[in-house]
């Protein structure tokens, strides 16, 4: 962390990158870090380059940096992204120096320097710990604290996942002390449109299961268009089947215009190894992957079902 602060001090222009289809942790980490730097070093130019997220738009709405000349003489920092091809703005190497800050398993190195803590449940927790380590030199604001709190809260399932530790609650408590309005955050994270609720109803009547305990949803493009929801709202429906008794692993297979993505979740079995077989990866109990086509789906379902079977046998 000392090296990261040194580089932040060294550069007058800092560009902060996030990943494609950003979630709360990505946006929260981008804005949290940017606002801390801007408050601590007002003379610096801080740019957030990346895609926006409707879900956490109340934090901020990034856009892709158009002026490529801005990278010359700049420091680029990528947050919450394991691989460079997942960055929504992959031009990180155009900067004079680049840093990766992440909490996913380090499957791919990119940038001139990497700071990865795969035990942290959220990248926003790492950014908070960065502030705490140098709080005599860095300044926190209510807006930065709110962004980081949203990042931690969303990536831990509102503090429900078993990756949460006392360090997570400590970070959240410190952020709250900077004035985070919990009702404001909860209201923004909990609200749903009528179309999204209707899609959730569709999910609850169209999910499928396997004999050993794998539940899944197959969401084709026409379904997303029928319900007139965003891809982001459609992807969030992986949580719709997260509480089914005796089905500790579940997934959403969702068809985007250019790919078929798998959102894979677990309440017990380790699933990121399976995700890695399908061009993906992630955390032991929350991972993502790809299908090249729908013909690969039956084989994935079988492997997931076998995984649950082995897991349940170990519990006997």
């Amino acid at each position: 962390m000392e090296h990261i602060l040194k580089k932040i001090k060294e550069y007058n222009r800092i560009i902060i990158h996030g990943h494609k289809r950003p979630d709360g942790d990505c946006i929260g980490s981008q804005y949290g870090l940017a606002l801390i730097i801007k408050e601590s070093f007002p003379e610096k130019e801080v740019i957030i380059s990346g895609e926006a997220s409707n879900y956490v738009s109340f934090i901020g709405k990034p856009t892709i940096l158009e002026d490529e000349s801005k990278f010359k003489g700049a420091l680029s920092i990528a947050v919450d992204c394991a691989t460079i091809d997942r960055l929504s703005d992959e031009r990180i190497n155009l900067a004079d120096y680049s840093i990766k800050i992440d909490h996913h398993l380090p499957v791919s190195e990119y940038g001139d320097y990497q700071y990865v803590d795969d035990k942290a449940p959220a990248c926003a927790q790492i950014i908070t710990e960065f502030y705490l380590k140098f709080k005599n030199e860095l300044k926190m604001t209510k807006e930065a604290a709110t962004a980081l709190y949203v990042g931690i809260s969303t990536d831990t399932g509102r503090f429900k996942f078993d990756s949460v530790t006392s360090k997570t609650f400590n970070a959240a408590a410190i952020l709250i002390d900077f004035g985070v309005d919990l009702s404001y955050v909860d209201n923004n994270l909990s609200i749903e449109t009528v179309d999204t609720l209707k899609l959730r109803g569709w999910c609850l009547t169209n999910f499928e299961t396997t004999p050993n305990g794998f539940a899944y949803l197959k969401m084709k493009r026409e379904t997303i268009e029928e319900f007139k929801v965003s891809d982001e709202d459609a992807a969030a429906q992986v949580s719709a089947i997260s509480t089914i008794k005796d089905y500790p692993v579940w997934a959403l297979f969702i068809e985007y215009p250019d790919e078929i993505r798998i959102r894979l979740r677990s309440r017990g079995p380790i699933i990121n190894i399976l995700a890695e077989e399908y061009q993906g990866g992630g955390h032991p109990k929350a991972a993502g992957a790809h299908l090249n086509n729908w013909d690969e789906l039956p084989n994935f379902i079988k492997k997931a079902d076998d995984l649950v079977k082995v897991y349940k046998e170990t519990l006997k």
Side-chain angles (χ1 to χ4, degrees), residues 11-175:
Y11 286 88
N12 289 322
R13 182 183 302 120
I14 301 166
I15 303 167
I16 301 179
H17 302 245
H19 58 73
K20 297 173 183 175
R21 290 186 289 274
D23 56 9
D25 189 28
C26 177
I27 298 294
S29 296
Q30 283 182 281
Y31 274 89
L33 180 58
L35 291 168
I36 288 171
I37 295 173
K38 194 63 183 172
E39 184 70 16
S40 306
F41 309 102
E43 73 283 359
K44 295 186 185 295
E45 181 183 10
V46 185
I47 300 169
I48 297 175
S49 183
E51 298 174 7
S53 163
N54 290 333
Y55 179 50
V56 289
S57 60
F58 64 99
I59 295 299
K61 298 179 181 180
T63 57
I64 300 294
L65 177 61
E66 293 185 359
D67 186 357
E68 196 165 278
S69 67
K70 289 282 190 180
F71 286 94
K72 184 175 177 59
L75 166 67
S76 273
I77 302 176
V79 298
D80 195 39
C81 190
T83 60
I84 193 168
D85 61 317
R86 281 279 293 144
L87 289 172
S88 53
D89 185 345
E90 297 181 26
R91 297 171 296 172
I92 184 171
N93 290 327
L94 294 181
D96 280 20
Y97 196 84
S98 56
I99 296 172
K100 168 188 176 182
I101 302 176
D102 191 31
H103 71 121
H104 298 94
L105 291 172
V107 295
S108 172
E109 290 187 358
Y110 65 89
D112 297 301
Y113 184 78
Q114 299 88 36
Y115 185 93
V116 179
D117 179 2
D118 58 19
K119 298 295 189 296
C123 188
Q125 179 174 315
I126 298 174
I127 304 299
T128 305
E129 291 169 354
F130 173 69
Y131 159 75
L132 291 173
K133 186 173 180 64
F134 305 108
K135 62 182 179 180
N136 291 331
E137 298 182 72
L138 299 176
K139 296 179 181 179
M140 180 70 74
T141 66
K142 177 182 177 180
E143 291 73 21
T146 299
L148 293 170
Y149 180 86
V150 167
I152 294 173
S153 176
T154 54
D155 235 35
T156 60
R158 312 287 182 93
F159 304 95
K160 291 187 298 185
F161 299 159
D162 58 11
S163 56
V164 171
T165 66
S166 59
K167 291 174 65 177
T168 310
F169 285 110
N170 181 60
I174 289 168
L175 294 171

Side-chain angles (χ1 to χ4, degrees), residues 278-296:
Y278 288 83
Q279 311 167 63
H283 303 292
K285 298 181 183 179
H290 299 259
L291 294 179
N292 292 316
N293 52 64
W294 286 114
D295 291 338
E296 293 183 344

Side-chain angles (χ1 to χ4, degrees), residues 224-263:
I224 298 171
E225 293 171 354
E226 175 188 348
F227 285 93
K228 300 175 183 174
V229 299
S230 66
D231 288 345
E232 185 179 5
D233 285 337
Q237 298 309 312
V238 66
S239 65
I241 55 172
S242 63
T243 57
I244 309 174
K245 185 179 180 181
D246 297 326
Y247 290 85
V249 176
W250 66 99
L252 169 63
F253 301 91
I254 181 169
E255 185 176 27
Y256 289 103
D258 56 348
E259 63 177 339
I260 301 171
R261 288 277 295 172
I262 306 169
R263 303 198 75 196

Side-chain angles (χ1 to χ4, degrees), residues 1-2 7 39 135 162 176 192 196 252 290 301 313:
M1 284 188 175
E2 289 86 354
K7 287 299 179 181
E39 184 70 16
K135 62 182 179 180
D162 58 11
I176 291 170
E192 290 187 85
T196 303
L252 169 63
H290 299 259
I301 292 171
E313 287 175 349

Side-chain angles (χ1 to χ4, degrees), residues 200-211:
R200 184 176 292 269
W202 178 90
C203 293
L204 293 174
T205 56
N206 286 277
F207 71 88
E208 299 180 60
T209 59
T210 64

